[in-house]
Amino acid sequence: MDPVSGPQQRAGFAKRAGRACRRYVSKAPGTFAWLAVLLLTTQIIHHVSPEFANRLLERRSTNLHQLSTSPVRVLITSAMWIAGGGWWFYFVLYNIFHVPAERWLGTARWLGVLLIAHVGATFISEGVLLWAIRHGYAPERARYTLDYGVSYALAGVEAVLTYLIVRAWRYLYVAGVLLFYGLALVRSRDFTSVGHFTAVLLGLACYPIARARPGSWDPVPAARRAWRTVSRRG
């Protein structure tokens, strides 16, 4: 065996892998730009004191107090921070849900869906919280509760992906999404679970946005193709 062939093969593999990664990222630029921002803000939180991190997040929280003073600012900045789960956890979820949604809808339509879900769910969930405060079901200090993160937008995108799946399977998928978030709502009965379930309903209501992109993904042929690929490599 030529001793040079080993390094050359590795270099060739690295180049092919690099080109494949660039093609993959270029088809969902919005998703990966967002992930880059989340990686940066996650590192910031990890390298500052808990007290400073809390003050930082308070200024970017979509609670009732901040929404009444700087609604546009906090609606934007609240989606640039991760509320639990860790960056790698959301990296996986973004590749499962946001990447196919952005590829299917296009960046502009995908952005429209996540904004509808994020903004709409925020206002409705905080409206429920305001009602609870005024009727004595929640304390007055709940106006300042931290409320930030990307999960409302993620729930909305998960829901709109219903229309990507072919009709034979989409009903099973949407039933699973509604069951997952519906059970969380029944168990928790807090404003966050209200927000998540609302985001799902708003994502489903984005059918007019998705209508121009007919559903075409069938899990059975996709699983067969994946199995054939693995079998050939094996």
Side-chain angles (χ1 to χ4, degrees):
M1 179 179 178
D2 187 351
V4 181
S5 63
Q8 286 179 341
Q9 289 176 347
R10 288 192 293 271
F13 174 78
K15 288 180 180 179
R16 291 193 297 273
R19 286 195 296 267
C21 287
R22 286 193 295 271
R23 286 195 300 269
Y24 182 76
V25 171
S26 67
K27 292 180 180 178
T31 297
F32 287 99
W34 196 2
L35 279 170
V37 172
L38 293 176
L39 179 60
L40 176 62
T41 56
T42 300
Q43 293 303 310
I44 290 173
I45 290 298
H46 287 166
H47 289 85
V48 299
S49 67
E51 295 79 11
F52 183 79
N54 191 64
R55 291 197 301 272
L56 192 67
L57 294 173
E58 282 178 352
R59 290 278 297 164
R60 289 148 182 84
S61 176
T62 51
N63 55 35
L64 289 169
H65 172 69
Q66 293 290 350
L67 283 174
S68 66
T69 57
S70 306
V72 175
R73 176 178 61 80
V74 295
L75 283 168
I76 295 172
T77 58
S78 65
M80 297 180 182
W81 305 81
I82 292 174
W87 186 83
W88 282 108
F89 174 72
Y90 279 97
F91 177 83
V92 173
L93 290 181
Y94 272 45
N95 277 274
I96 293 174
F97 297 108
H98 278 296
V99 167
E102 186 177 1
R103 287 181 169 186
W104 169 52
L105 294 171
T107 300
R109 290 184 176 87
W110 163 80
L111 185 61
V113 171
L114 67 89
L115 285 175
I116 289 170
H118 174 66
V119 174
T122 296
F123 276 112
I124 292 174
S125 62
E126 291 295 334
V128 170
L129 179 60
L130 179 60
W131 179 90
I133 293 172
R134 289 178 174 175
H135 288 79
Y137 297 108
E140 186 66 26
R141 66 176 180 275
R143 293 177 181 271
Y144 302 91
T145 303
L146 289 181
D147 183 23
Y148 63 93
V150 300
S151 57
Y152 291 168
L154 179 61
V157 167
E158 288 172 3
V160 82
L161 279 173
T162 297
Y163 307 117
L164 171 62
I165 303 171
V166 295
R167 289 185 181 276
W169 294 98
R170 69 173 52 171
Y171 303 111
L172 182 63
Y173 174 83
V174 72
V177 172
L178 288 170
L179 183 63
F180 177 82
Y181 287 103
L183 287 176
L185 176 61
V186 172
R187 287 197 305 266
S188 302
R189 290 184 292 181
D190 57 15
F191 77 95
T192 302
S193 58
V194 170
H196 286 135
F197 195 76
T198 301
V200 169
L201 297 181
L202 290 171
L204 292 174
C206 287
Y207 173 70
I209 296 176
R211 183 170 51 192
R213 298 289 192 270
S216 60
W217 187 74
D218 190 331
V220 175
R224 288 173 179 168
R225 287 194 298 271
W227 175 253
R228 285 197 297 266
T229 301
V230 172
S231 299
R232 285 198 297 268
R233 290 178 180 177

